[in-house]
Amino acid sequence: MLDYEAMSGASMQSDTQQIALGLRQGDVVVLESLVERYQYRLVRYLIYLLGRRDGVDDLVQETWLRVLERGSSYDGQARFEPWLFRVARNIAVDAMRRRRTLGLESNDDDGIRQAPASDEASPFTSAAQTEDADRLARALETLDPGYREALVLRFQEDLSLQEISAIVGAPVSTVASRIYKGLATLRHQFEEKQHEH
Amino acid sequence: MNINQHESFQHMIDESLAGAISPEREQSLREHLNTCAPCQVYLSATNRVVAGLGGFSFEVDSMLNARVLASLKRNVQPAQAPQPSRQWALIIIAAGALTMGGSFVDLQFGSLIASVFDLQRTQLRQELLAFWIVPSLCVLLLFPLLPLLSKAGIHREDREERTV
């Protein structure tokens, strides 16, 4: 796996150029390496975005097919991750709209909203590996998806505000505000949980 | 220091974590943190939340990669395989352009070329017809038939295979 932080700017540029070339040519080897490299991160991003595990695999599959189909639109000038997450987000938003049209979810003007209450166990509770993560799980479940998305992109994917802004299609100031509010909510609930213990 | 000032610095901590702070403000925040216990507590709590976000490990279906790759391969093959009908269409277009080009050269520049090469106008026309226009026209007329002939051949082979 490539570590972007350890790579120089030039070699990162060369890596992204190779990805762009591979996508333009529909190169299976390049696609395979991208799937290997980004699959877990894609799954994690979609879980944070949707707040559920159910249906994420289908969206992942659809995302990669869209990457193959629209790969020529990635020019290799910037990092691949923001472009990939943008594709995944569009797929997820379309899927949510389809579900709403079918009456499976409540109406809202934004593409991504709260996941419906379901019998499915929280993906965060079942994925928590540490005591702190366990404390955060419940708070994440009820957190606004827009905040959750901004938090995962900033603190798990280490993307800049500009990159997140390009993914979510919102101004940088809005993204920053979502991060502050998300952090404030989690901090508050985290402290409450600590006092309970 | 009053509460408002602490709030201001605590907001700067959030800005710093979000990557939305200028180097000057970052420096001033660092200096403040050296001496302010409440803001240190705030920073520590926030860092703990951020670290907590890294404490999740989501399960990925072991078959998901295989399914994705199989589906990509199914979809990538038609794009990589040569498309005979498209190739033939391009050849037909090229042959059409050549035919028209030959006729155009003959009509527009025939007299000029004949005088340059010291040829009879009719002789030049015959040569253009023989070596340019007629071959292009043949390609133009024959190539549309090739896909049909090829399909007929494939169907015949299929029929023969089934009979065997």
Side-chain angles (χ1 to χ4, degrees):
Chain A
M1 191 185 285
L2 290 168
D3 179 7
Y4 277 105
E5 282 179 5
M7 290 166 74
S8 69
S11 65
M12 195 188 89
Q13 177 97 1
S14 136
D15 185 49
T16 57
Q17 297 285 352
Q18 276 177 5
I19 293 173
L21 182 67
L23 290 179
R24 265 201 304 279
Q25 295 174 340
D27 187 333
V28 181
V29 178
V30 170
L31 282 162
E32 275 181 12
S33 75
L34 291 176
V35 171
E36 287 288 330
R37 202 197 296 182
Y38 294 109
Q39 193 77 301
Y40 175 76
R41 292 161 69 178
L42 199 51
V43 168
R44 180 176 61 190
Y45 169 64
L46 287 168
I47 290 173
Y48 267 82
L49 186 64
L50 303 172
R52 61 170 175 237
R53 186 70 183 83
D54 176 40
V56 163
D57 288 2
D58 291 339
L59 295 177
V60 166
Q61 192 157 343
E62 219 178 311
T63 299
W64 286 114
L65 285 174
R66 186 75 61 89
V67 166
L68 172 66
E69 195 184 303
R70 308 261 169 94
S72 52
S73 68
Y74 173 63
D75 60 10
Q77 296 298 313
R79 287 164 73 181
F80 178 67
E81 295 93 318
W83 185 84
L84 176 68
F85 291 133
R86 174 89 186 154
V87 171
R89 189 181 204 276
N90 288 342
I91 300 266
V93 170
D94 287 348
M96 296 284 276
R97 286 195 182 124
R98 278 200 301 273
R99 286 171 72 102
R100 267 182 222 133
T101 315
L102 294 169
L104 297 171
E105 285 181 16
S106 60
N107 231 346
D108 207 296
D109 53 351
D110 191 6
I112 301 291
R113 285 288 108 186
Q114 288 293 113
S118 73
D119 297 336
E120 189 197 352
S122 157
F124 301 106
T125 308
S126 52
Q129 300 290 306
T130 63
E131 206 177 314
D132 285 352
D134 199 41
R135 280 186 192 140
L136 286 175
R138 185 74 200 156
L140 275 171
E141 203 183 316
T142 53
L143 192 67
D144 183 293
Y147 300 170
R148 229 169 27 214
E149 180 187 28
L151 290 175
V152 70
L153 292 175
R154 176 65 195 142
F155 298 117
Q156 295 296 290
E157 289 302 332
D158 202 22
L159 299 184
S160 69
L161 288 178
Q162 286 74 18
E163 286 172 321
I164 302 172
S165 157
I167 294 168
V168 304
V172 167
S173 56
T174 307
V175 172
S177 158
R178 285 177 190 172
I179 292 173
Y180 306 150
K181 285 177 185 165
L183 279 177
T185 311
L186 291 186
R187 197 169 37 231
H188 178 68
Q189 297 199 22
F190 188 82
E191 281 164 0
E192 271 186 357
K193 284 261 177 191
Q194 253 187 321
H195 291 138
E196 279 173 22
H197 286 276
Chain B
M1 186 167 287
N2 62 37
I3 292 170
N4 281 345
Q5 277 174 309
H6 283 302
E7 277 181 0
S8 161
F9 278 108
Q10 286 168 2
H11 183 65
M12 280 162 71
I13 289 173
D14 288 350
E15 283 182 333
S16 170
L17 289 168
I21 197 168
S22 66
E24 296 78 29
R25 280 164 62 82
E26 178 96 49
Q27 181 58 36
S28 123
L29 173 63
R30 280 177 198 282
E31 283 163 13
H32 173 77
L33 280 170
N34 285 334
T35 55
C36 179
C39 288
Q40 281 172 9
V41 169
Y42 182 91
L43 174 65
S44 160
T46 311
N47 275 336
R48 206 165 159 191
V49 166
V50 171
L53 289 173
F56 295 97
S57 175
F58 300 97
E59 264 183 42
V60 178
D61 180 0
S62 56
M63 294 306 289
L64 180 61
N65 274 21
R67 278 208 307 275
V68 167
L69 290 174
S71 134
L72 285 174
K73 279 175 186 165
R74 267 199 309 278
N75 283 276
V76 86
Q77 272 158 1
Q80 282 183 339
Q83 295 173 315
S85 57
R86 196 168 162 216
Q87 283 176 347
W88 275 322
L90 287 172
I91 291 171
I92 290 163
I93 290 167
L98 274 173
T99 309
M100 286 195 288
S103 310
F104 178 78
V105 167
D106 179 33
L107 289 170
Q108 294 295 314
F109 307 108
S111 309
L112 179 69
I113 295 168
S115 65
V116 168
F117 291 100
D118 199 20
L119 294 167
Q120 291 291 322
R121 181 77 180 82
T122 48
Q123 192 189 348
L124 177 78
R125 176 162 292 172
Q126 280 167 359
E127 283 177 10
L128 276 172
L129 274 168
F131 296 111
W132 186 342
I133 300 169
V134 172
S136 310
L137 195 60
C138 287
V139 171
L140 180 64
L141 295 174
L142 280 174
F143 261 81
L145 295 175
L146 284 177
L148 298 173
L149 292 172
S150 152
K151 270 183 195 164
I154 290 166
H155 286 312
R156 199 179 59 228
E157 277 172 18
D158 281 351
R159 273 200 305 275
E160 281 168 4
E161 269 177 26
R162 277 198 292 270
T163 338
V164 170

